[in-house]
Amino acid sequence: MARVSGISLRVHLLGMPEPVYRDLWVPLRYTWHQLHLVIQTAFGWENLHRYEFRYGAARWGLPRSPDVSLLKDARSVRLSAVTWHPQTGFDYWYNLQEGWHHRLIVLDCSTGSERRPRLIDGQGVCPPEDVGGPAGYREFLAAIQNPAHEDHDLYRLWADGHYAFDGFCLEETAARLQKAFMPRRRKKPTTRRLADISVATSSS
């Protein structure tokens, strides 16, 4: 039986006035921290705050000294450490002060040689950073959607470059995700560097 190499996930941002989700395929060789980075890129978050994954009683994130015993280091645990099944659910919290809660559901488990994450589908615009959580986001939307609102211009200026005013674009987001996780090519030594290596080898 072929070994599962990746999972398809629906990542649903809860508490939004309209549905906001991303469907992703992620390789199981990735760590929990890499999954965090995939979600950040796919949604348009800017990776400015702490985060936690919560799977049953287990928690992954970036531990600080007071909670080292409770929070596992997301950089050192691969997704393959968990046995995955379709419809498995778990949670991702971003910016713990504002409380952005994402619910993740496994859509499918797959085999194959693919090594990079993919955006499969999606809907809805991600809120801007530091807008004040779901309640603050509703105030933000009320202002930017009403030109007569006293804070309309202020909010548009504040969020410029940090919010997709034109709506979510699947193709642009998919391309951004592919670029962000493009394998890095090792740089070949220059001719001068190769000469230095030869000299060092011959003199040793």
Side-chain angles (χ1 to χ4, degrees):
M1 183 176 180
R3 184 178 179 181
V4 173
S5 60
I7 50 176
S8 299
L9 297 165
R10 169 156 293 186
V11 187
H12 190 179
L13 179 57
L14 304 182
M16 295 294 94
E18 296 181 356
V20 178
Y21 70 87
R22 305 289 184 265
D23 291 348
L24 301 163
W25 184 90
V26 183
L28 293 185
R29 66 184 182 86
Y30 269 26
T31 64
W32 287 92
H33 182 67
Q34 287 174 303
L35 175 58
H36 155 72
L37 296 176
V38 171
I39 294 172
Q40 290 282 305
T41 305
F43 273 84
W45 293 120
E46 298 179 41
N47 195 23
L48 301 178
H49 302 281
R50 296 189 71 197
Y51 69 91
E52 282 187 18
F53 287 99
R54 300 173 184 175
Y55 181 98
R59 294 166 53 198
W60 293 273
L62 300 181
R64 294 179 177 176
S65 53
D67 59 5
V68 163
S69 61
L70 299 176
L71 195 64
K72 300 177 182 178
D73 192 331
R75 296 165 295 189
S76 60
V77 183
R78 294 184 185 273
L79 299 175
S80 57
V82 173
T83 301
W84 298 100
H85 302 282
Q87 301 307 311
T88 298
F90 58 105
D91 300 283
Y92 167 72
W93 291 81
Y94 174 61
N95 189 342
L96 304 182
Q97 289 186 330
E98 293 196 352
W100 295 109
H101 181 192
H102 307 68
R103 182 63 176 168
L104 287 78
I105 301 293
V106 177
L107 303 176
D108 191 24
C109 302
S110 59
T111 60
S113 59
E114 197 167 2
R115 299 184 62 81
R116 279 191 290 166
R118 284 186 293 108
L119 177 65
I120 302 168
D121 197 2
Q123 181 178 332
V125 177
C126 181
E129 293 277 5
D130 301 319
V131 76
Y137 183 50
R138 284 180 168 80
E139 294 178 9
F140 169 82
L141 290 177
I144 66 167
Q145 292 172 357
N146 179 9
H149 194 286
E150 60 179 352
D151 293 325
H152 175 79
D153 293 339
L154 178 64
Y155 269 125
R156 287 195 67 92
L157 180 63
W158 171 74
D160 185 39
H162 302 277
Y163 182 75
F165 289 102
D166 295 331
F168 169 68
C169 178
L170 178 65
E171 293 76 14
E172 289 181 7
T173 306
R176 184 169 65 244
L177 186 68
Q178 287 288 295
K179 182 178 179 181
F181 291 88
M182 185 79 69
R184 295 181 180 178
R185 295 181 179 179
R186 293 183 179 180
K187 293 183 178 179
K188 295 182 180 180
T190 62
T191 304
R192 183 176 179 181
R193 177 60 180 155
L194 286 171
D196 292 342
I197 294 172
S198 299
V199 170
T201 303
S202 61
S203 62
S204 58

